Amino acid sequence: MLELSEYKTILDTIPAAVIIAVPVKQDEKITDFSIVYVNECFRNLTKNFIKEGVLFSSFKEKISQDINWFDMAVETIKTKKTIEETFYSHNFSIWIQLVEKCVPGDYVAVSLTNVSQAKEYESALSEQNKKLEEVTSQLKSSRLNLDSQLKNIQQLNEQLLFAAYHDSLTDLYNRSWLSTMMKVQIKETTEKNEKFGILLFDIDNMKDINDSRGHNAGDELLKQVATILKLMESKTVTATRFGGDEFVLLYKNIKDRDEAIEISKKALRFLNAEGIGISGGISIFPDDSKKTEDLLKFADMAKIEAKKNGKNNVACFHSLMQEKFLSKLNIETKMSKAMASRNFQLYYQPQFDAKTKELRGFEALLRWYDSDLGWISPEQFIPLAEETHLVVPLGDWVMTTALATIKEWEMKFSFNGIISVNISPVQFVQEDFIEKLFKKIEKSGIDKKHLEIEITEGVLIDNVEDTISKLNKIREQGVGLSLDDFGTGYSSLRYLQLLPLTTLKIDKSFVSNIAEKDGFEAKLTESIISLVSKMGLNTIAEGVENEEQLKMIQKFNCRTIQGFLLGKPMPKEQCEKLLVENLGKTSS
Ligand code: C2E
Ligand code: CA
Ligand code: CA
């Protein structure tokens, strides 16, 4: 058995704070403990107030009121087990671990260890765990949200895809689908070394029917034609409503021109049997051309030939017609000359806040007047200008002119709105597009927030990464970015999340149908507007022509409108009158 003196020699050297106490007994009952030894470390820790000879009962409050040293010591003597407690000492402002242990000779050894650091870690850990739990549950709920949003987006995408490629009146495929399909067909047919043909036709005397029996009768007739064409559809024959009363039948994998004529005559017979007369033209890939646009143009020329020859017939495109087509060259030459002699003009169409009708700004639109041909629509000459790349210098001119207008209006009217400028994909993909644009902007001295650039989904076809990087550069300059004609082509809501857009322009084909009874376009438009607004984008409805459409657009909370109802494209001088009326009211 160790003597007290021997404990002392060991205990003086250890770094823990230790005291040794002996029980104080009265009639064999332990009533207190008397300290017989205090080691160096303990003295330091308790600042010397616990010394040899002191009783437990006299100091316990000084360390902690919650801990009963006496009970613990009695317990350890009785059970010979080590007893531990951790407590916070308000006197020392630390966490202390107290261990009482019975040592041979019925001594009680009490050790105190400062465990504040460990305690801090523990509470920091539990705090962290709590936070982690919170974050996990937040994550869980936002994941649920995200899932439902993604599902929503997927559904909208599917509807968009249907709307983008179908005609809402007849449910046949539409023009966008046809041009995509013809491109696919050209590739496949070339690989397989086959031929395909198209028949483009329209309904004879459609105008008379509309005029004499009304538009509803006209619509019914179009639906009837669609029903008959659907009956003709097969693996190799597909029907499309090309626009207005024009339809296209596409014949895959045909032997020769005769086979195309044969199928076309069958369509003619079916339609005639229902009392419907048509005139159509046929063109063949690759015999007549290897290009989609040419095949459609050639079929159209052949259709005109069929009409000239007495209607209700189909005709084939033949090389003689090509001469007439060469007049395209004529237009190109004229376009180059018009560029040189500044025969193009820039018109501006106003955009207004849908609710307050405040002026938001203008879209710059090209106009071309030729002394022989009269007004030529941009829808005709822009595709030609793109094909010949004349759109690059032409687009440069548009940008310079629009920037000069912004500057002039900033000075004259403190213009605080936006002018948006259309950029063709052909311009956009030019390597020096960004560099040239920034130089022009710099030179003009405009406030960049007054310029917005309109791109179409066409710029995304080739190199999405390059496109996004260019768009980011434009955005970084503080220039606005809007996506034009949304809903017509490759429309995908997924793109929207990738592009640094500020504005989305909903195509007029949507707007023109939103007041229709079945409500498909309306529902889709409303969902798109709501989703896109949540993404923080401005929405512009294009082609608002009547009050009914305006009401729907307002109901859907679309922010901005552009359309004939509130303002047609007009020359700069006319816009200035509008600016004077709205002076100080423009909202950017
Ligand atoms: P866009 O960019 O979609 O321009 C809107 C077109 O819708 C304009 O036709 C405008 O006059 C027309 N519009 C506006 N409100 C209404 C309405 O209420 N009802 C109807 N039915 N139409 C409305 P526009 O001026 O004939 O231009 C046609 C297209 O030509 C433009 O479509 C754009 O793609 C292209 N374009 C015009 N100017 C330029 C240009 O400077 N550069 C490029 N790259 N393309 C241009
Ligand atoms: Ca536009
Ligand atoms: Ca547009």
Side-chain angles (χ1 to χ4, degrees):
M1 190 180 289
L2 283 174
E3 282 304 313
L4 187 58
S5 58
E6 286 168 302
Y7 284 126
K8 282 182 181 171
T9 35
I10 303 168
L11 295 173
D12 271 341
T13 59
I14 65 168
V18 182
I19 53 174
I20 306 278
V22 289
V24 177
K25 292 185 181 169
Q26 233 174 29
D27 307 331
E28 287 306 301
K29 201 168 167 247
I30 302 175
T31 56
D32 207 339
F33 283 85
S34 167
I35 294 173
V36 291
Y37 168 72
V38 181
N39 83 346
E40 180 79 22
C41 189
F42 201 105
R43 257 181 258 127
N44 291 341
L45 181 73
T46 59
K47 303 196 180 82
N48 265 334
F49 76 82
I50 293 181
K51 302 190 185 97
E52 278 96 347
V54 168
L55 294 173
F56 274 17
S57 54
S58 69
F59 70 78
K60 84 176 199 37
E61 271 87 30
K62 293 208 171 146
I63 296 187
S64 164
Q65 292 167 344
D66 310 330
I67 300 298
N68 196 332
W69 294 52
F70 173 77
D71 285 355
M72 284 171 74
V74 174
E75 173 96 8
T76 182
I77 285 180
K78 220 160 65 191
T79 61
K80 309 283 185 246
K81 280 190 187 145
T82 304
I83 299 174
E84 263 184 48
E85 284 274 3
T86 303
F87 61 93
Y88 186 75
S89 162
H90 289 281
N91 286 330
F92 301 122
S93 308
I94 52 171
W95 281 90
I96 294 179
Q97 185 185 43
L98 176 135
V99 178
E100 294 196 12
K101 191 176 172 142
C102 179
V103 291
D106 267 359
Y107 294 114
V108 173
V110 182
S111 73
L112 299 184
T113 317
N114 179 349
V115 289
S116 294
Q117 220 172 25
K119 256 310 201 204
E120 264 167 32
Y121 285 144
E122 195 183 296
S123 73
L125 204 68
S126 92
E127 188 69 14
Q128 273 212 5
N129 277 339
K130 224 167 87 192
K131 276 198 191 134
L132 209 65
E133 248 164 55
E134 268 168 31
V135 172
T136 317
S137 84
Q138 274 170 11
L139 266 175
K140 226 181 189 167
S141 71
S142 67
R143 174 92 233 154
L144 281 176
N145 253 334
L146 205 68
D147 280 352
S148 83
Q149 274 227 1
L150 276 177
K151 224 167 107 199
N152 217 341
I153 289 180
Q154 214 167 351
Q155 265 174 8
L156 281 176
N157 266 336
E158 278 160 20
Q159 290 172 350
L160 262 174
L161 201 67
F162 187 87
Y165 286 140
H166 286 82
D167 165 50
S168 57
L169 180 71
T170 62
D171 261 357
L172 287 180
Y173 286 116
N174 65 10
R175 192 182 191 133
S176 296
W177 181 88
L178 182 71
S179 71
T180 308
M181 201 52 214
M182 280 179 75
K183 282 184 187 118
V184 173
Q185 209 45 52
I186 286 173
K187 196 162 167 277
E188 274 182 15
T189 309
T190 310
E191 277 164 14
K192 293 187 190 155
N193 205 13
E194 291 173 352
K195 290 179 197 288
F196 77 86
I198 57 168
L199 167 73
L200 186 151
F201 71 83
D202 63 23
I203 301 169
D204 288 340
N205 310 324
M206 183 70 184
K207 194 175 170 300
D208 298 344
I209 294 166
N210 268 338
D211 289 350
S212 62
R213 288 164 41 203
H215 277 273
N216 277 347
D219 282 357
E220 283 313 311
L221 181 58
L222 293 170
K223 283 193 209 164
Q224 201 186 348
V225 171
T227 310
I228 297 166
L229 295 183
K230 274 180 203 155
L231 290 175
M232 285 195 66
E233 280 192 314
S234 68
K235 253 192 195 157
T236 52
V237 177
T238 337
T240 309
R241 179 164 174 217
F242 196 59
D245 66 338
E246 283 187 318
F247 294 84
V248 170
L249 284 174
L250 178 83
Y251 313 135
K252 287 188 207 169
N253 187 18
I254 49 166
K255 275 200 307 295
D256 50 21
R257 204 175 287 270
D258 286 345
E259 191 179 344
I261 296 175
E262 203 180 297
I263 315 174
S264 302
K265 290 252 160 98
K266 192 166 128 192
L268 185 69
R269 276 201 309 277
F270 279 5
L271 289 159
N272 282 176
E274 296 296 322
I276 305 166
I278 59 155
S279 303
I282 299 166
S283 64
I284 307 290
F285 174 91
D287 303 4
D288 294 330
S289 171
K290 289 184 178 167
K291 281 186 173 162
T292 306
E293 308 83 63
D294 288 355
L295 288 165
L296 287 166
K297 264 175 219 152
F298 293 161
D300 192 48
M301 286 178 188
K303 180 190 87 178
I304 294 166
E305 198 78 2
K307 278 199 193 292
K308 268 196 212 144
N309 298 339
K311 294 191 180 174
N312 202 26
N313 209 340
V314 290
C316 277
F317 176 75
H318 54 80
S319 54
L320 255 184
M321 293 176 187
Q322 220 155 5
E323 269 171 36
K324 287 181 201 155
F325 181 67
L326 286 180
S327 66
K328 172 184 141 187
L329 263 186
N330 194 13
I331 293 200
E332 277 173 32
T333 322
K334 277 179 178 298
M335 219 174 350
S336 301
K337 282 195 189 139
M339 278 281 299
S341 54
R342 308 246 174 272
N343 265 346
F344 285 104
Q345 295 173 50
L346 208 52
Y347 273 38
Y348 302 87
Q349 185 176 26
Q351 301 170 337
F352 299 91
D353 184 289
K355 295 220 165 101
T356 63
K357 309 257 174 80
E358 249 177 276
L359 185 66
R360 182 235 188 207
F362 299 85
E363 174 176 7
L365 292 161
L366 257 174
R367 292 293 176 262
W368 177 19
Y369 184 80
D370 179 85
S371 48
D372 300 330
L373 302 170
W375 286 103
I376 306 167
S377 146
E379 258 154 16
Q380 273 179 300
F381 71 79
I382 294 280
L384 269 177
E386 285 176 333
E387 218 178 289
T388 53
H389 281 223
L390 258 175
V391 77
V392 176
L394 188 56
D396 277 350
W397 177 82
V398 169
M399 184 55 78
T400 311
T401 311
L403 288 171
T405 300
I406 295 178
K407 187 70 207 171
E408 192 185 329
W409 287 354
E410 281 175 357
M411 314 269 278
K412 268 204 215 159
F413 309 105
S414 305
F415 179 63
N416 194 27
I418 281 171
I419 288 191
S420 62
V421 176
N422 291 285
I423 302 291
S424 143
V426 177
Q427 280 175 277
F428 190 82
V429 297
Q430 301 288 309
E431 232 166 66
D432 59 351
F433 172 72
I434 293 282
E435 195 187 321
K436 258 173 33 190
L437 173 69
F438 289 176
K439 269 196 195 139
K440 269 189 205 304
I441 294 175
E442 212 53 55
K443 200 166 158 207
S444 71
I446 61 147
D447 183 339
K448 290 171 191 154
K449 70 170 197 273
H450 296 154
L451 176 68
E452 184 174 73
I453 283 191
E454 286 193 20
I455 51 156
T456 55
E457 286 150 324
V459 300
L460 285 163
I461 304 175
D462 279 338
N463 187 343
V464 179
E465 267 170 38
D466 186 48
T467 301
I468 293 176
S469 134
K470 277 186 177 166
L471 294 177
N472 278 327
K473 283 189 192 137
I474 296 174
R475 269 306 293 141
E476 279 160 17
Q477 291 286 317
V479 172
L481 257 186
S482 90
L483 187 66
D484 205 358
D485 303 340
F486 187 73
T488 51
Y490 309 87
S491 301
S492 166
L493 290 163
R494 232 161 280 173
Y495 281 143
L496 293 188
Q497 286 160 320
L498 294 176
L499 306 179
L501 300 173
T502 48
T503 305
L504 185 83
K505 296 188 82 172
I506 295 161
D507 190 65
K508 36 181 187 298
S509 61
F510 272 78
V511 176
S512 69
N513 290 327
I514 56 176
E516 285 201 353
K517 275 181 236 92
D518 84 352
F520 175 71
E521 257 96 357
K523 272 193 211 117
L524 190 54
T525 309
E526 186 174 19
S527 311
I528 292 169
I529 292 172
S530 137
L531 194 95
V532 167
S533 308
K534 274 190 208 135
M535 288 165 67
L537 298 190
N538 178 22
T539 41
I540 301 185
E542 294 190 300
V544 179
E545 292 182 343
N546 55 48
E547 289 290 345
E548 217 180 344
Q549 290 164 349
L550 175 63
K551 265 197 206 115
M552 294 294 272
I553 286 299
Q554 285 170 334
K555 198 174 118 209
F556 297 164
N557 287 321
C558 180
R559 184 142 20 121
T560 313
I561 51 167
Q562 180 181 343
F564 293 170
L565 178 67
L566 293 185
K568 291 198 167 174
M570 48 194 161
K572 194 176 93 191
E573 296 67 35
Q574 222 168 312
C575 300
E576 293 183 348
K577 282 187 200 143
L578 204 61
L579 279 169
V580 172
E581 283 165 25
N582 278 270
L583 204 57
K585 287 199 290 183
T586 36
S587 57
S588 63

